[in-house]
Amino acid sequence: RGVISSSMEPPAGTQALLFDCDGTLVDTLSLYRVCWRQVYGRHGFDMADDWFYQRVGLSVRPFVREAFPNASEEVLDGIQHEGMTMFMNSTHLLELNDHVVDVARRFKGVLPLVVVSSGIATAVYETLEATAITELFDFVITLESVARAKPAPDCYQHAVERLGVDPSRCVAYEDSEAGLESAIAAGIGTVVDIRVAR
């Protein structure tokens, strides 16, 4: 069973470093909060901060459905498209979580580095490009890469299978309960909760 760590340093013998994107490598949450509040407001849902932060780690469709549980798929499609378009048009405002990105920079070329996200591919790649960190990573796993989003283990399982490494000797960096659960369920040996790590 994986160990939740509060140290950013990978233990000796680590075979690969796996990084969540939203909220972990990049502070996308502040921007998503602004975008979704505006879009949801236009559709009659007043999004409180507490409501938003309790759902961090959900991929986008379940997140939209939570706000509009009785809406048709067509309406959900429209709201999701609106929110993601506003986000994509605002990525120049994004800022890095330097204490996490610094780990990736230090281990670039030393260990395999992978982005393991439950985000939509277009948004994840746009986030990495806008913050100029795409080149740090060997490859990127997104929602489209797997059958199930976090907290299911699929995305982490897919990453370690592609790398051909022992999951118990990998480190995952995460910022949400869904992400921590996903990494532990995939057998990742060390899972760093960046909310408390130094």
Side-chain angles (χ1 to χ4, degrees), residues 49 53 56 58 94 100-101 110 141 147 154-155 166 173 185 187 194 198:
D49 282 353
Y53 285 112
V56 166
L58 283 179
L94 290 172
V100 182
V101 175
V110 179
I141 305 285
D154 302 29
C155 54
D166 176 354
Y173 294 86
I194 70 129
R198 288 289 167 264

PDB file of all heavy atoms in Angstrom, residues 49 53 56 58 94 100-101 110 141 147 154-155 166 173 185 187 194 198:
ATOM      1  N   ASP A  49     -17.586  29.008  -3.141  1.00  0.00           N
ATOM      2  CA  ASP A  49     -16.214  28.502  -3.088  1.00  0.00           C
ATOM      3  C   ASP A  49     -16.154  27.115  -2.440  1.00  0.00           C
ATOM      4  O   ASP A  49     -15.432  26.237  -2.919  1.00  0.00           O
ATOM      5  CB  ASP A  49     -15.300  29.456  -2.299  1.00  0.00           C
ATOM      6  CG  ASP A  49     -14.892  30.668  -3.130  1.00  0.00           C
ATOM      7  OD1 ASP A  49     -15.196  30.698  -4.342  1.00  0.00           O
ATOM      8  OD2 ASP A  49     -14.259  31.584  -2.571  1.00  0.00           O
ATOM      9  N   TYR A  53     -14.418  23.807  -4.087  1.00  0.00           N
ATOM     10  CA  TYR A  53     -13.231  23.143  -3.540  1.00  0.00           C
ATOM     11  C   TYR A  53     -13.521  21.719  -3.066  1.00  0.00           C
ATOM     12  O   TYR A  53     -12.630  20.877  -3.057  1.00  0.00           O
ATOM     13  CB  TYR A  53     -12.588  23.993  -2.436  1.00  0.00           C
ATOM     14  CG  TYR A  53     -11.851  25.167  -3.013  1.00  0.00           C
ATOM     15  CD1 TYR A  53     -12.294  26.470  -2.806  1.00  0.00           C
ATOM     16  CD2 TYR A  53     -10.735  24.973  -3.830  1.00  0.00           C
ATOM     17  CE1 TYR A  53     -11.628  27.562  -3.375  1.00  0.00           C
ATOM     18  CE2 TYR A  53     -10.071  26.043  -4.405  1.00  0.00           C
ATOM     19  CZ  TYR A  53     -10.510  27.333  -4.174  1.00  0.00           C
ATOM     20  OH  TYR A  53      -9.861  28.394  -4.750  1.00  0.00           O
ATOM     21  N   VAL A  56     -12.879  19.493  -6.215  1.00  0.00           N
ATOM     22  CA  VAL A  56     -11.569  19.493  -6.880  1.00  0.00           C
ATOM     23  C   VAL A  56     -11.150  18.047  -7.116  1.00  0.00           C
ATOM     24  O   VAL A  56     -11.294  17.206  -6.248  1.00  0.00           O
ATOM     25  CB  VAL A  56     -10.522  20.223  -6.015  1.00  0.00           C
ATOM     26  CG1 VAL A  56      -9.110  19.947  -6.507  1.00  0.00           C
ATOM     27  CG2 VAL A  56     -10.798  21.718  -6.012  1.00  0.00           C
ATOM     28  N   LEU A  58     -12.472  16.140  -9.545  1.00  0.00           N
ATOM     29  CA  LEU A  58     -13.443  15.549 -10.475  1.00  0.00           C
ATOM     30  C   LEU A  58     -13.072  15.944 -11.893  1.00  0.00           C
ATOM     31  O   LEU A  58     -12.631  17.060 -12.148  1.00  0.00           O
ATOM     32  CB  LEU A  58     -14.859  16.086 -10.207  1.00  0.00           C
ATOM     33  CG  LEU A  58     -15.639  15.553  -9.016  1.00  0.00           C
ATOM     34  CD1 LEU A  58     -16.994  16.239  -8.954  1.00  0.00           C
ATOM     35  CD2 LEU A  58     -15.814  14.038  -9.106  1.00  0.00           C
ATOM     36  N   LEU A  94      -2.328  31.834 -16.171  1.00  0.00           N
ATOM     37  CA  LEU A  94      -1.940  30.731 -15.275  1.00  0.00           C
ATOM     38  C   LEU A  94      -0.563  30.934 -14.662  1.00  0.00           C
ATOM     39  O   LEU A  94       0.331  31.511 -15.288  1.00  0.00           O
ATOM     40  CB  LEU A  94      -1.941  29.404 -16.045  1.00  0.00           C
ATOM     41  CG  LEU A  94      -3.313  28.863 -16.454  1.00  0.00           C
ATOM     42  CD1 LEU A  94      -3.150  27.659 -17.369  1.00  0.00           C
ATOM     43  CD2 LEU A  94      -4.142  28.497 -15.231  1.00  0.00           C
ATOM     44  N   VAL A 100       6.609  22.428  -6.986  1.00  0.00           N
ATOM     45  CA  VAL A 100       6.403  21.139  -7.660  1.00  0.00           C
ATOM     46  C   VAL A 100       7.198  21.093  -8.962  1.00  0.00           C
ATOM     47  O   VAL A 100       7.904  20.120  -9.243  1.00  0.00           O
ATOM     48  CB  VAL A 100       4.902  20.897  -7.925  1.00  0.00           C
ATOM     49  CG1 VAL A 100       4.691  19.533  -8.580  1.00  0.00           C
ATOM     50  CG2 VAL A 100       4.100  20.992  -6.634  1.00  0.00           C
ATOM     51  N   VAL A 101       7.102  22.163  -9.763  1.00  0.00           N
ATOM     52  CA  VAL A 101       7.805  22.199 -11.045  1.00  0.00           C
ATOM     53  C   VAL A 101       9.319  22.125 -10.840  1.00  0.00           C
ATOM     54  O   VAL A 101      10.036  21.519 -11.643  1.00  0.00           O
ATOM     55  CB  VAL A 101       7.402  23.457 -11.851  1.00  0.00           C
ATOM     56  CG1 VAL A 101       8.215  23.565 -13.145  1.00  0.00           C
ATOM     57  CG2 VAL A 101       5.913  23.415 -12.171  1.00  0.00           C
ATOM     58  N   VAL A 110      17.073  12.645 -15.596  1.00  0.00           N
ATOM     59  CA  VAL A 110      17.564  11.723 -14.559  1.00  0.00           C
ATOM     60  C   VAL A 110      16.584  10.557 -14.403  1.00  0.00           C
ATOM     61  O   VAL A 110      16.977   9.389 -14.354  1.00  0.00           O
ATOM     62  CB  VAL A 110      17.735  12.457 -13.205  1.00  0.00           C
ATOM     63  CG1 VAL A 110      18.222  11.498 -12.118  1.00  0.00           C
ATOM     64  CG2 VAL A 110      18.677  13.646 -13.344  1.00  0.00           C
ATOM     65  N   ILE A 141      -0.601  11.722 -19.891  1.00  0.00           N
ATOM     66  CA  ILE A 141      -1.829  10.921 -19.821  1.00  0.00           C
ATOM     67  C   ILE A 141      -2.982  11.871 -19.511  1.00  0.00           C
ATOM     68  O   ILE A 141      -2.863  12.706 -18.610  1.00  0.00           O
ATOM     69  CB  ILE A 141      -1.735   9.872 -18.693  1.00  0.00           C
ATOM     70  CG1 ILE A 141      -0.502   8.974 -18.838  1.00  0.00           C
ATOM     71  CG2 ILE A 141      -3.016   9.056 -18.584  1.00  0.00           C
ATOM     72  CD1 ILE A 141      -0.564   7.932 -19.887  1.00  0.00           C
ATOM     73  N   ALA A 147     -10.115   4.475 -19.627  1.00  0.00           N
ATOM     74  CA  ALA A 147     -11.559   4.220 -19.556  1.00  0.00           C
ATOM     75  C   ALA A 147     -12.226   5.020 -18.444  1.00  0.00           C
ATOM     76  O   ALA A 147     -13.353   5.496 -18.601  1.00  0.00           O
ATOM     77  CB  ALA A 147     -11.815   2.729 -19.346  1.00  0.00           C
ATOM     78  N   ASP A 154      -6.935   3.915 -13.238  1.00  0.00           N
ATOM     79  CA  ASP A 154      -6.587   3.671 -14.641  1.00  0.00           C
ATOM     80  C   ASP A 154      -5.433   4.526 -15.164  1.00  0.00           C
ATOM     81  O   ASP A 154      -4.537   4.023 -15.845  1.00  0.00           O
ATOM     82  CB  ASP A 154      -7.815   3.899 -15.544  1.00  0.00           C
ATOM     83  CG  ASP A 154      -8.998   3.015 -15.182  1.00  0.00           C
ATOM     84  OD1 ASP A 154      -9.128   2.646 -13.989  1.00  0.00           O
ATOM     85  OD2 ASP A 154      -9.795   2.696 -16.073  1.00  0.00           O
ATOM     86  N   CYS A 155      -5.473   5.828 -14.899  1.00  0.00           N
ATOM     87  CA  CYS A 155      -4.471   6.717 -15.508  1.00  0.00           C
ATOM     88  C   CYS A 155      -3.066   6.423 -14.976  1.00  0.00           C
ATOM     89  O   CYS A 155      -2.089   6.422 -15.733  1.00  0.00           O
ATOM     90  CB  CYS A 155      -4.844   8.182 -15.352  1.00  0.00           C
ATOM     91  SG  CYS A 155      -5.164   8.703 -13.679  1.00  0.00           S
ATOM     92  N   ASP A 166       8.103  -0.459 -12.020  1.00  0.00           N
ATOM     93  CA  ASP A 166       7.406  -1.025 -10.874  1.00  0.00           C
ATOM     94  C   ASP A 166       6.643   0.105 -10.174  1.00  0.00           C
ATOM     95  O   ASP A 166       7.273   1.043  -9.678  1.00  0.00           O
ATOM     96  CB  ASP A 166       8.454  -1.640  -9.932  1.00  0.00           C
ATOM     97  CG  ASP A 166       7.855  -2.191  -8.642  1.00  0.00           C
ATOM     98  OD1 ASP A 166       6.646  -2.004  -8.400  1.00  0.00           O
ATOM     99  OD2 ASP A 166       8.620  -2.799  -7.870  1.00  0.00           O
ATOM    100  N   TYR A 173       2.707  12.941  -7.515  1.00  0.00           N
ATOM    101  CA  TYR A 173       2.476  14.246  -6.868  1.00  0.00           C
ATOM    102  C   TYR A 173       1.031  14.640  -7.155  1.00  0.00           C
ATOM    103  O   TYR A 173       0.634  14.736  -8.313  1.00  0.00           O
ATOM    104  CB  TYR A 173       3.455  15.289  -7.416  1.00  0.00           C
ATOM    105  CG  TYR A 173       4.886  14.991  -7.046  1.00  0.00           C
ATOM    106  CD1 TYR A 173       5.665  14.141  -7.820  1.00  0.00           C
ATOM    107  CD2 TYR A 173       5.458  15.536  -5.896  1.00  0.00           C
ATOM    108  CE1 TYR A 173       6.975  13.838  -7.466  1.00  0.00           C
ATOM    109  CE2 TYR A 173       6.772  15.244  -5.534  1.00  0.00           C
ATOM    110  CZ  TYR A 173       7.523  14.395  -6.328  1.00  0.00           C
ATOM    111  OH  TYR A 173       8.817  14.094  -5.969  1.00  0.00           O
ATOM    112  N   ALA A 185      -4.528   3.409  -5.305  1.00  0.00           N
ATOM    113  CA  ALA A 185      -5.213   2.243  -5.880  1.00  0.00           C
ATOM    114  C   ALA A 185      -4.389   1.597  -6.994  1.00  0.00           C
ATOM    115  O   ALA A 185      -4.492   0.390  -7.232  1.00  0.00           O
ATOM    116  CB  ALA A 185      -6.583   2.651  -6.417  1.00  0.00           C
ATOM    117  N   GLY A 187      -1.209   1.288  -6.875  1.00  0.00           N
ATOM    118  CA  GLY A 187      -0.026   0.680  -6.275  1.00  0.00           C
ATOM    119  C   GLY A 187       1.214   1.567  -6.287  1.00  0.00           C
ATOM    120  O   GLY A 187       2.332   1.086  -6.079  1.00  0.00           O
ATOM    121  N   ILE A 194       0.779  17.504  -2.220  1.00  0.00           N
ATOM    122  CA  ILE A 194       1.488  18.788  -2.339  1.00  0.00           C
ATOM    123  C   ILE A 194       0.851  19.894  -1.508  1.00  0.00           C
ATOM    124  O   ILE A 194       1.437  20.942  -1.311  1.00  0.00           O
ATOM    125  CB  ILE A 194       1.648  19.239  -3.815  1.00  0.00           C
ATOM    126  CG1 ILE A 194       0.302  19.650  -4.421  1.00  0.00           C
ATOM    127  CG2 ILE A 194       2.320  18.165  -4.650  1.00  0.00           C
ATOM    128  CD1 ILE A 194       0.332  20.996  -5.072  1.00  0.00           C
ATOM    129  N   ARG A 198       6.570  20.003   1.695  1.00  0.00           N
ATOM    130  CA  ARG A 198       7.559  21.076   1.613  1.00  0.00           C
ATOM    131  C   ARG A 198       8.832  20.530   1.027  1.00  0.00           C
ATOM    132  O   ARG A 198       9.165  19.376   1.191  1.00  0.00           O
ATOM    133  CB  ARG A 198       7.847  21.645   3.030  1.00  0.00           C
ATOM    134  CG  ARG A 198       6.679  22.474   3.556  1.00  0.00           C
ATOM    135  CD  ARG A 198       6.568  23.795   2.789  1.00  0.00           C
ATOM    136  NE  ARG A 198       5.298  24.491   3.044  1.00  0.00           N
ATOM    137  CZ  ARG A 198       4.252  24.392   2.259  1.00  0.00           C
ATOM    138  NH1 ARG A 198       4.275  23.648   1.183  1.00  0.00           N
ATOM    139  NH2 ARG A 198       3.164  25.080   2.525  1.00  0.00           N
TER     140      ARG A 198
END
